[in-house]
Amino acid sequence: QVSLVQSGGGLVQAGDSLTLSCAASGRTHIAYTVAWFRRPPGKEREFVAAINYGGDRTNYADSVKDRFTISRVNTKNTVNLQMNSLKPDDTALYYCAARYATGAYYYTARPADYISWGQGTQVTVSS
């Protein structure tokens, strides 16, 4: 199984940028998808973005499309989430997650479909 450790996050102002990182270890030789989810205050966990093992397929929630970019460096087993033009609505606890999957259905937006989770990192955007 893949183990995930997150870094990054913090307090920023609206319009600022921030990068979150997710480092994987363990069974990283098997093709795995990495996704980012977030839990805004008082709300359910929601899908943010996902990237396939090859790094050539990505998906984004409509709320972050054109502002966030997910990327991965497999030689370093790292997936990054570059967040630009941050808004107060982006305030949440962010998690990376992994699942073993390939092909057209490499990702889902359902948290229950992911087998490994990072520890979570807080992102707070002030207005």
Side-chain angles (χ1 to χ4, degrees):
Q1 189 161 315
V2 174
S3 298
L4 305 174
V5 176
Q6 299 176 222
S7 59
L11 172 63
V12 297
Q13 294 186 328
D16 284 352
S17 298
L18 204 58
T19 300
L20 304 181
S21 292
C22 180
S25 62
R27 302 182 70 184
T28 58
H29 60 286
I30 301 174
Y32 62 99
T33 290
V34 175
W36 287 92
F37 289 80
R38 66 185 183 188
R39 187 191 298 275
K43 297 184 179 179
E44 296 294 316
R45 194 172 304 194
E46 61 186 30
F47 171 79
V48 175
I51 189 165
N52 70 339
Y53 187 65
D56 58 338
R57 300 186 71 168
T58 58
N59 282 84
Y60 297 91
D62 288 342
S63 59
V64 306
K65 203 170 291 183
D66 299 327
R67 297 189 299 122
F68 289 13
T69 302
I70 188 171
S71 62
R72 73 189 293 165
V73 182
N74 282 340
T75 53
K76 297 182 178 180
N77 294 319
T78 299
V79 172
N80 296 319
L81 183 69
Q82 173 69 39
M83 305 183 291
N84 298 327
S85 303
L86 283 162
K87 306 174 182 179
D89 284 349
D90 295 318
T91 295
L93 191 58
Y94 283 72
Y95 298 89
C96 62
R99 66 190 296 259
Y100 291 114
T102 59
Y105 301 101
Y106 74 95
Y107 93 102
T108 84
R110 296 199 323 153
D113 292 333
Y114 292 79
I115 61 170
S116 300
W117 289 84
Q119 77 277 20
T121 186
Q122 180 67 38
V123 172
T124 303
V125 185
S126 64
S127 57

